[in-house]
């Protein structure tokens, strides 16, 4: 999954979720993309402590409808950070890979407890080669 991060383009959801997570975590603004829970987006924004993207000031967006407020915020974020687009996208996806690996570890532990180590390895193998895990396991989705 890590090797694919540098070669795969950003999804349409990530264009919105990455700036929303950044504003949730660092600005305390939960009005952007508020139809999705903030936790995963905030976890994806943690590497921004090191990347230090530019934070464009937001207009008073509370008066706008939710989808317009979200569109304004992510457009301003990506415009201000156009030069570091790939860096921000890569580092926002790294925590998602770590969460997927943690889920694989939990599956192994649970299957090992229910059966034995062979069952744990088989469960993790099934998990690791499942297409519905491989594709979204590396993207920022709420």
């Amino acid at each position: 999954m890590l090797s694919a991060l540098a070669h795969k383009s950003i999804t349409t959801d990530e264009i919105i979720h990455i700036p929303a997570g950044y504003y949730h975590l660092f600005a305390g603004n939960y009005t952007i993309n508020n139809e999705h829970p903030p936790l995963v987006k905030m976890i994806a924004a943690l590497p921004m402590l090191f990347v230090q993207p530019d934070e464009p000031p937001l207009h008073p967006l509370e008066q706008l409808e939710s989808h317009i407020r979200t569109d304004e915020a992510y457009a301003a974020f990506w415009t201000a950070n156009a030069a570091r687009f790939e860096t921000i996208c890569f580092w926002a996806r790294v925590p998602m890979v770590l969460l997927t690996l943690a889920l694989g570890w939990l599956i192994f532990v649970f299957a090992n407890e229910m059966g034995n180590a062979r069952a744990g390895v088989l469960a993790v193998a099934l998990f690791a080669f499942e297409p519905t895990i491989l594709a979204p396991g590396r993207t920022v989705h709420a």
Side-chain angles (χ1 to χ4, degrees):
M1 283 192 286
L2 279 175
S3 66
L5 293 183
H7 305 291
K8 298 293 183 179
S9 63
I10 192 169
T11 65
T12 56
D13 289 339
E14 287 177 302
I15 287 176
I16 298 168
H17 293 312
I18 293 170
Y22 180 81
Y23 286 117
H24 293 343
L25 188 62
F26 297 109
N29 186 338
Y30 294 94
T31 63
I32 300 163
N33 192 234
N34 59 0
E35 56 271 2
H36 296 284
L39 181 61
V40 173
K41 295 181 286 189
M42 292 170 70
I43 291 171
L46 284 173
M48 298 310 127
L49 285 169
F50 306 106
V51 175
Q52 294 290 312
D54 295 328
E55 183 179 330
L58 296 177
H59 306 284
L61 300 174
E62 287 77 21
Q63 296 86 6
L64 300 175
E65 293 180 38
S66 176
H67 69 283
I68 296 172
R69 178 176 53 236
T70 299
D71 290 348
E72 294 275 334
Y74 84 76
F77 180 85
W78 289 120
T79 301
N81 293 292
R84 296 192 292 185
F85 179 80
E86 289 181 15
T87 302
I88 291 170
C89 292
F90 177 84
W91 286 108
R93 288 174 162 185
V94 169
M96 300 302 99
V97 171
L98 297 176
L99 283 175
T100 304
L101 292 175
L103 179 58
W105 178 77
L106 285 173
I107 289 171
F108 172 78
V109 168
F110 183 73
N112 191 29
E113 290 286 324
M114 296 290 292
N116 55 25
R118 186 178 299 164
V121 170
L122 178 62
V124 169
L126 291 171
F127 169 78
F129 293 108
E130 172 60 35
T132 58
I133 297 299
L134 290 174
R138 60 180 156 69
T139 58
V140 181
H141 286 283

